[in-house]
Amino acid sequence: MEAESGKGRPRDLAALLLSRAMIASETLSRALLVQAETGEPLDRVLTRLGMISERALAEGCARALGLDLAGAGSFPRDAVAPGRLTPRFLRRARVLPLAETAEAVDLAVVDPFDSFAPAAVAFALGRPVRLKVAEGRDVEEALERLYTTGSGTSTAADSAAESADVERMRDLSSDAPVVRLVNGLITRAVDLQASDIHLEPAEDGLKVRLRIDGALVEQEMMAPALRAAVVSRIKVMAGLDIAERRLPQDGRLRFAVRGHDIDFRVATSPVIHGESVVLRVLDRSHLALDFASLGFAPALTAQWRRALHRPHGIVLVTGPTGSGKTTTLYASLAELNTADRKILTIEDPIEYRLDGISQTQVKPRIGLDFASALRSFLRQDPDVMMVGEIRDLETVQVAIQAALTGHTILSTLHTNDAASAVTRLLDMGAEPYLVTSTLSAVLAQRLVRRLCPACRSPYAPTAEALATLGIALAPEGLVFHRAVGCPDCGGTGYRGRLAVTELLVMSDDIARLVLARAEARDIARKAEAEGLRPMLLDGIDKVIAGATTIDEILRVTRDG
């Protein structure tokens, strides 16, 4: 089997992998072909395609060459030799100086077979180099933290002029530097657990922003010459038409990051300086499918499970866009997903693929909408059906019909609270007696940022702060926490999100109010008298528990 280049480095790594039986020869052959096409280092190809984990690769190289492993915990707090080694060189070589003494320099390397980078470091610093093997992800994150970002990643394709020629765009999008740039951007977004990647062309370049824990975080601006090439590359990956730049397009792509396949939903839209692109990151490895991880209180979880396990009825999750409704529905489906139940879903779009559940994507162009799909599902003998969203009277009527005939229906609505969901169904045209006969429960929710447990700071709340939460008399020793920021959370003070919720369960008294077409506030008042705990109070519980802050709770529960 021929190794790819004449440089020797891939051939040496390939020989190591085969001699240690770390991967099969057929797998290595495929990796070498990809390496030849993309120009990426062989180790990066192997880990990106999931052929071997970064940890296993680093351990195998260290063991074979008699070198020590450098874990993330051994990396320096401050940059070593920042004036003598440029960030651009370190990123390109994927090496990181760990410590410098009068005798030698400890150097973490991703590829120990690359003799050029250690030699260059030794020459620049004027002393020998001691190699340690590190994982690529650890080195990249340390370089991002320790060294100021320059234009090194942007200059790779600065000479590529923007062109309207489709073939030229196709050539640009497949150019190795652009491929590496896009791959690196996607990998960084996944590492930071971003939910969305925003690429926004501007007059002075391509703006990149990542949505992390619900907040947009600006990244390094890309050069103007990269706008067309980067967008075209993503469109090629998603199977979109790169020649069509006047109309919005939607697509999907799958990309292996750190050995894990991750799906991305891609949406493009024409703007004044080109095309805006948003990639929604659909990372199943970070999908929490248990209610405790989502932030549900134990008492609410027990009530919600009782509603889900009723033999028939409609169960709704409500809230604005981006409030975690779909994730809650997926967790609910996971709760119901047993061998003795048939579960069907109709979604727009399918965000995550769930094993054991038949999922269908709406296709309005051919008449496959929520209502028509739900109607066809009734002939499939299901036990549980999930409808992505109830948007119109037809969908409501079919859902009610399905619930009346012994099926469990899960769906979402866009309303501000649980009680408003009931009146919203009536406003759509549903008959009150049918709503009371079929609606089992409504869960309203919002998402707040979760405090980083490593750096949150306790404090005693002031009387004014308590008054904003409606607390007149606080118990002695009450402690809240505030966000600080540390390396673990990227300096934001927050890591992840959790839900604040309220659950309305249909009762005889609430049913009488619905039959009388009472207003939402009257239904809410009765539900609270029967035990509904409003979102604000659930949020206060989470503030007291140290999970989030007052500002986060007020941000999502204040009206207006």
Side-chain angles (χ1 to χ4, degrees):
M1 180 183 60
E2 282 286 311
E4 184 266 344
S5 73
K7 297 179 180 179
R9 177 167 59 89
R11 183 178 295 111
D12 291 339
L13 179 58
L16 167 66
L17 294 170
L18 290 176
S19 65
R20 296 288 173 125
M22 296 172 71
I23 63 173
S25 59
E26 297 82 2
T27 302
L28 178 60
S29 297
R30 292 200 303 273
L32 288 171
L33 287 174
V34 174
Q35 195 265 348
E37 292 175 2
T38 65
E40 293 180 276
L42 179 58
D43 60 275
R44 183 175 286 169
V45 172
L46 292 165
T47 55
R48 179 170 66 81
L49 297 179
M51 296 173 174
I52 189 172
S53 70
E54 290 192 342
R55 183 68 182 176
L57 189 61
E59 289 177 347
C61 288
R63 195 161 46 244
L65 300 176
L67 300 174
D68 292 333
L69 274 173
S74 63
F75 289 176
R77 292 191 174 184
D78 300 309
V80 176
R84 292 170 288 165
L85 296 172
T86 65
R88 180 180 177 184
F89 164 75
L90 295 174
R91 287 194 187 89
R92 184 171 295 174
R94 295 184 302 154
V95 298
L96 176 73
L98 300 176
E100 181 183 16
T101 66
E103 292 76 28
V105 177
D106 290 335
L107 187 69
V109 298
V110 178
D111 181 7
F113 293 102
D114 178 13
S115 59
F116 169 76
V121 172
F123 177 80
L125 300 185
R127 63 204 66 195
V129 166
R130 290 191 294 248
L131 296 186
K132 295 187 178 183
V133 184
E135 296 180 43
R137 173 179 179 173
D138 291 341
V139 171
E140 290 167 9
E141 289 179 350
L143 289 172
E144 189 74 22
R145 173 172 59 86
L146 294 172
Y147 295 87
T148 54
T149 56
S151 59
T153 56
S154 299
T155 56
D158 278 349
S159 61
E162 189 172 349
S163 171
D165 181 70
V166 174
E167 290 305 317
R168 181 168 174 76
M169 286 298 97
R170 195 181 304 277
D171 292 341
L172 277 175
S173 69
S174 60
D175 189 43
V178 175
V179 171
R180 289 197 297 269
L181 182 59
V182 172
N183 292 353
L185 171 63
I186 292 175
T187 300
R188 188 187 350 161
V190 173
D191 288 344
L192 294 173
Q193 297 185 22
S195 61
D196 301 89
I197 305 170
H198 292 253
L199 301 173
E200 301 160 339
E203 187 174 1
D204 55 345
L206 184 64
K207 182 186 292 185
V208 180
R209 295 194 288 175
L210 305 180
R211 189 174 295 280
I212 302 171
D213 294 335
L216 282 171
V217 180
E218 197 157 333
Q219 305 294 303
E220 179 184 357
M221 177 84 78
M222 294 185 189
L226 285 173
R227 285 182 306 210
V230 169
V231 171
S232 294
R233 172 61 187 165
I234 293 173
K235 291 171 75 173
V236 167
M237 294 171 71
L240 303 180
D241 183 0
I242 65 172
E244 180 54 78
R245 301 175 204 138
R246 301 164 300 170
L247 298 173
Q249 296 186 66
D250 295 303
R252 200 175 183 108
L253 66 91
R254 176 169 287 185
F255 188 81
V257 177
R258 315 294 181 193
H260 298 286
D261 281 338
I262 296 175
D263 291 321
F264 297 82
R265 199 170 74 230
V266 181
T268 70
S269 180
V271 293
I272 188 170
H273 292 294
E275 288 180 279
S276 171
V277 181
V278 177
L279 291 87
R280 166 64 58 90
V281 184
L282 305 173
D283 185 0
R284 278 199 64 180
S285 65
H286 291 110
L287 179 64
L289 292 181
D290 65 282
F291 300 120
S293 298
L294 296 176
F296 283 30
L300 182 132
T301 300
Q303 284 183 294
W304 183 243
R305 281 184 167 137
R306 282 197 295 272
L308 290 175
H309 286 282
R310 288 180 180 174
H312 54 80
I314 299 174
V315 180
L316 297 177
V317 182
T318 186
T321 300
S323 60
K325 299 187 299 295
T326 302
T327 303
T328 297
L329 282 184
Y330 282 150
S332 302
L333 290 174
E335 171 82 15
L336 297 170
N337 189 14
T338 57
D340 60 342
R341 286 192 181 96
K342 179 164 184 173
I343 302 177
L344 304 174
T345 75
I346 175 69
E347 305 172 53
D348 183 23
I350 297 172
E351 294 203 4
Y352 297 96
R353 292 171 173 85
L354 303 176
D355 294 335
I357 294 175
S358 300
Q359 297 172 265
T360 303
Q361 165 80 46
V362 298
K363 296 175 183 175
R365 292 182 181 177
I366 60 173
L368 183 62
D369 55 18
F370 287 127
S372 61
L374 190 55
R375 193 177 290 110
S376 71
F377 284 176
L378 293 173
R379 298 188 289 271
Q380 300 266 328
D381 189 30
D383 299 290
V384 179
M385 292 177 281
M386 191 268 270
V387 185
E389 183 184 346
I390 292 179
R391 298 174 178 171
D392 50 42
L393 176 59
E394 185 182 9
T395 308
V396 173
Q397 290 173 333
V398 181
I400 287 174
Q401 177 190 349
L404 288 172
T405 54
H407 302 87
T408 299
I409 308 297
L410 279 63
S411 191
T412 68
L413 271 179
H414 286 279
T415 62
N416 290 327
D417 55 35
S420 297
V422 180
T423 56
R424 173 71 177 136
L425 294 175
L426 301 180
D427 292 341
M428 285 184 179
E431 293 295 335
Y433 73 94
L434 292 175
V435 172
T436 58
S437 301
T438 55
L439 186 61
S440 299
V442 181
L443 179 77
Q445 69 177 57
R446 301 287 191 281
L447 290 180
V448 295
R449 291 184 291 176
R450 190 190 299 264
L451 278 169
C452 174
C455 66
R456 64 182 183 180
S457 173
Y459 71 96
T462 64
E464 293 79 7
L466 293 172
T468 62
L469 297 175
I471 301 175
L473 184 62
E476 188 175 348
L478 181 66
V479 174
F480 288 175
H481 291 77
R482 60 168 60 94
V484 177
C486 68
D488 285 353
C489 59
T492 65
Y494 298 94
R495 287 187 68 186
R497 290 189 287 177
L498 73 161
V500 290
T501 57
E502 65 182 32
L503 178 62
L504 182 150
V505 178
M506 184 63 67
S507 67
D508 292 341
D509 288 342
I510 293 177
R512 279 191 282 272
L513 289 175
V514 175
L515 289 171
R517 292 185 178 270
E519 294 185 357
R521 63 172 174 266
D522 296 325
I523 295 174
R525 197 176 297 119
K526 172 56 69 174
E528 288 181 37
E530 294 182 348
L532 179 144
R533 190 166 179 77
M535 259 188 287
L536 177 60
L537 295 184
D538 184 52
I540 292 173
D541 289 343
K542 290 177 170 63
V543 170
I544 294 172
T548 189
T549 64
I550 293 177
D551 291 342
E552 281 293 295
I553 297 303
L554 295 179
R555 176 177 63 84
V556 300
T557 59
R558 264 181 179 153
D559 294 332

